[in-house]
Amino acid sequence: MSQPSSKSSLAALTLGAVGVVYGDIGTSPLYAFKEVFAHGHVPMNPENIYGVLSLMFWTLTVIVSLKYVLLILRADNNGEGGLIAMLALASVAVKDKPVLRQRLLVIGIFGTAIFFGDGVITPAISVLSAVEGLEVAAPALHAYIVPVTLVVLTALFLVQRHGTASVGRFFGPITVLWFAVLAVMGSVHIARNPAILLALNPVYALDFLTAHFGVAFVALGSVVLCVTGAEALYADMGHFGKKPIRLAWFGLVMPALVINYFGQGAMLLVHPENAKNPFYEMAPTWALYPLIGLATAATVIASQALITAAFSVTKQAIQLGYLPRLRVLHTSVRDTGQIYLPFVNWGLYVCIVFAVVLFGSSSKLAAAYGIAVTIDMLITTTMTFFVIRYGWKYPWWLCVAATGFFFVVDFIYFSANVVKVFDGGWFPVVIGAAMFLLLMTWKQGRRLMAERLREDAIDLPSFLEAVFVSPPVRVPGTAVFLVSDQGSTPNALLHNLKHNKVLHETNLFVTVRHHEVPWIGFDKRCDLAALGNDCWQVTLHFGFKNDPDVPEALALLKDRGVMLDEMETSYFLSRDIVIPTLGEGMSFWREKLFASMHRNAAAAADFLNLPTNRVVELGAKVEI
């Protein structure tokens, strides 16, 4: 690649990172600083303003700049990031410690479940806080805040099925404009009161923490809102790469955020009466309505990033075996990462509408927001320790030093938010707990089902050997039998022989394996073993970000002597019906929940991209 082209690509990726990665954290100035003083727990005085601003600056520096941008971005799973990628890295790093690995998996899945709570709160609080500017512009418009918010969110979820390719190109420029406006607004007030820059000194933060510990502890629960969206840095690494994300942060995002926060503080030193909504009070009257429009656009972009992430995380959880198959629609012919899951889309929408109506203001939602953010930050830090200790083989003392400091910081912020559980923090926790129940019920149910099928299974090589002692009629074409347990005789084959009394000329027994790595290339897609008499055992390997396309993968076998005529190939599936029973396994109500999830899962043929006109499904009952 030529140098100009390389620079152009880097610039485009950096612009894209600004639009997608930093949309969430970029809208934090709408509510983070005002929440510290909103409830009267932290007195409004110059000493506290300096202390809070210092805390915010050093929170951004320690948690985002040092922890995420410099340390955690290094922990990529074949270029991919995010909690599931980190979970996969950590579980592989401790694969020789099964008990520890199992505990890490549970912790990581709980963090993934809490992410869905974050995915509900972010659009609700972001759009609400933007629309609340109407009240500053005209107090009489207060009654319209919730309805306008619901209209904006409804429009956002309605367009999801069309994909974001058409509007995505505008995300970067709009968000860059947003950060520029943040910086200009803050600079004007800093210029009027430059002494506010003294708050960059960490002494002010330390004095605030030590001199007023009780007040400072309460303040920390709101200060942490300035780093909401930090997880997106890591989650979106696969889309943009480390360098563009780092350039965008240090070159534009962090300076704009700091300038805006300090501008809000400088204004409150002179006009403490503006504490109800300092962000909008910074703007001149003539600019209020354009600013509300820009803020709404910025919060919609931030919400879009969370919705897209929810689709991606759900798909990854499905392929790792923690959720049943769901209908996945691709909204772009060029970008395989652009997907739409109708069930997730409307499930999120219902929860978000409920949150907006239930809480009614960004201040009430802020109490719910912090706990979801801090739980995921704690889990990411914990996973990082096991990756750098057991995966990268760094010395014990270095691993403890590198992650121990961040763990203490995260735990302090988590503790400050725990006290808000009854003020709204319960909401994302309830969503996370419900998702965790579904994730673990599906995983455990699948394990119980596999064990029961294995108990009744017939060894495939032995069965074929017995069949070919007195072989049945062979009919032209190829039969592909999908079997979950490699080496077992599929029920579909037993039923086919029993009822049709024929066997195809070529028979492939295919097992699909999903691995804890994001991508597996075509060169490692297929394993092939001959079973004799034109029967073959095939194992297909997919990463958790690969789209499982069985016909495409089987077409690769032509280079290994197995030719498939697309029009002469039939796919046989076993459609198992789960029967819950009392006794061992899960509790009866969880078995019924699993049976319901299994019954309502999307068709395996669609999930594996099988041609629907050549699929034969044969049912069987499985008691668990």
Side-chain angles (χ1 to χ4, degrees), residues 299-324:
T299 56
V300 164
I301 291 170
S303 302
Q304 178 63 62
L306 261 293
I307 295 167
T308 303
F311 293 159
S312 179
V313 167
T314 302
K315 181 188 173 191
Q316 293 172 24
I318 291 169
Q319 295 190 186
L320 286 176
Y322 285 95
L323 280 175

Side-chain angles (χ1 to χ4, degrees), residues 419-504:
V419 299
K420 296 182 178 181
V421 166
F422 297 107
D423 293 329
W426 59 269
F427 186 70
V429 172
V430 166
I431 294 174
M435 282 301 305
F436 182 68
L437 173 66
L438 293 176
L439 290 162
M440 296 310 294
T441 296
W442 182 256
K443 186 71 172 179
Q444 192 172 352
R446 290 289 295 171
R447 180 179 58 78
L448 292 172
M449 192 172 161
E451 288 174 357
R452 182 53 56 91
L453 288 171
R454 202 173 294 121
E455 288 173 4
D456 301 330
I458 302 171
D459 178 63
L460 179 60
S462 302
F463 178 77
L464 290 177
E465 185 178 341
V467 165
F468 285 111
V469 169
S470 179
V473 175
R474 306 291 290 267
V475 297
T478 300
V480 176
F481 294 93
L482 277 298
V483 55
S484 58
D485 189 17
Q486 185 174 338
S488 298
T489 304
N491 286 330
L493 173 63
L494 296 174
H495 286 299
N496 192 41
L497 285 172
K498 178 180 178 181
H499 297 290
N500 299 325
K501 298 179 176 58
V502 296
L503 197 64
H504 285 72

